[in-house]
Amino acid sequence: MSNFTLRPRPRGGRWPVAPAQLGFVLLVVAALMMGGAGPAYRLDLLPLSTAFDVLRLGAYVAVGAAALGLIAVLIATLCRRWKPAFAGLLVIAAVAAMLVGPWEMMHRAQRVPPIHDITTDTANPPAFEALAEAREAAPNGVEYPGESFARRQRSAYPWVQPITLPLPLAEVRDAAEATAREMGWEIATVEERHIEATATTRWFGFKDDVAIRLTPESDGVRVDVRSASRLGQSDLGTNAGRIHDYLTALHARVE
């Protein structure tokens, strides 16, 4: 006599499992598209417009994965199949984490003005000299855009101001150069009162140039900074944030 017992087929069959599995597949595809768009542009495998299209399409695929995850959760809950429900929740959570960055960028774009050249001295910005040729070959050029940018900068970033350090010029210059190197910038030139460097963004590898001007005054050395993107109308606040971080680090270094 056989001891074989026929187990009942789980309620719902593969219905709760299939959406979760397909959701995972779409999640992987979305991650590859969104994560690979920047490096593909950086390695000259895709033009910028195509890379942005891939990034946008990847976000749509991620939303589709989240929708399938939600369907899996609903069906699995009705069928009391908890493993597919948990898998669906994992897909939804992963998509949410994946879309936080793009969502934050979109939100930031709505809050900041569409400018890409920020300076602590809008009346007389530090000039690009060593990097002039590289900037002339770029879409945004080498000259400061003028009062229209200055007015929008003062409104959006009133805290972008120069600092004065009560130290000799040589000490301030050495500290300014060391701070720039610590921030990972590529130094183009270091002169007695002038430093130029290039910062490269991590994901897409965009080039932003920085000019630092040191001006001796009666109470110390005034430090002015200009940070300008080579490409793009809006920097999403990156250059203002870079100046703030640099001057904060410089001030902390010489304290």
Side-chain angles (χ1 to χ4, degrees):
M1 187 172 179
S2 174
N3 292 325
F4 175 76
T5 302
L6 181 64
R7 296 182 179 180
R9 185 178 181 180
R11 284 182 293 178
R14 287 188 55 81
W15 266 107
V17 178
Q21 290 178 335
L22 183 55
F24 269 114
V25 172
L26 291 185
L27 177 65
V28 172
V29 172
L32 291 174
M33 295 176 71
M34 297 180 67
Y41 167 74
R42 193 168 184 171
L43 295 173
D44 293 325
L45 300 177
L46 293 176
L48 183 59
S49 59
T50 304
F52 279 148
D53 288 341
V54 171
L55 179 63
R56 188 180 303 108
L57 182 58
Y60 294 150
V61 173
V63 172
L68 286 170
L70 179 59
I71 292 172
V73 170
L74 293 176
I75 296 176
T77 301
L78 291 174
C79 299
R80 297 184 181 180
R81 299 281 302 280
W82 307 123
K83 287 185 178 180
F86 181 69
L89 289 174
L90 283 180
V91 171
I92 294 172
V95 169
M98 188 184 305
L99 294 181
V100 165
W103 180 87
E104 205 281 330
M105 289 175 61
M106 291 177 58
H107 184 62
R108 193 188 313 163
Q110 297 173 350
R111 292 186 288 110
V112 300
I115 55 178
H116 55 262
D117 197 332
I118 307 297
T119 176
T120 57
D121 187 350
T122 56
N124 181 29
F128 291 111
E129 298 170 357
L131 293 169
E133 184 177 351
R135 291 199 62 83
E136 286 172 353
N140 287 340
V142 65
E143 298 298 332
Y144 181 69
E147 180 56 29
S148 64
F149 269 46
R151 183 176 61 255
R152 283 179 280 183
Q153 175 189 313
R154 289 192 294 266
S155 176
Y157 314 117
W159 40 266
V160 175
Q161 299 290 335
I163 62 172
T164 299
L165 301 176
L167 295 170
L169 176 60
E171 291 186 28
V172 174
R173 182 186 63 247
D174 291 345
E177 178 187 357
T179 303
R181 293 187 185 278
E182 279 188 358
M183 298 191 74
W185 302 348
E186 181 182 353
I187 303 297
T189 186
V190 178
E191 301 176 4
E192 184 182 14
R193 302 185 181 186
H194 187 78
I195 299 172
E196 292 181 43
T198 299
T200 303
T201 62
R202 294 180 181 177
W203 190 9
F204 274 81
F206 294 133
K207 301 289 186 180
D208 298 340
D209 298 314
V210 182
I212 304 165
R213 184 176 63 209
L214 310 176
T215 306
E217 297 183 336
S218 59
D219 55 347
V221 177
R222 168 171 163 157
V223 183
D224 281 290
V225 183
R226 177 183 174 190
S227 182
S229 303
R230 295 185 189 178
L231 178 68
Q233 179 62 28
S234 175
D235 64 6
L236 303 181
T238 299
N239 288 302
R242 179 179 294 115
I243 291 174
H244 173 270
D245 293 345
Y246 174 76
L247 291 178
T248 299
L250 175 59
H251 188 270
R253 172 180 285 275
V254 301
E255 276 188 337

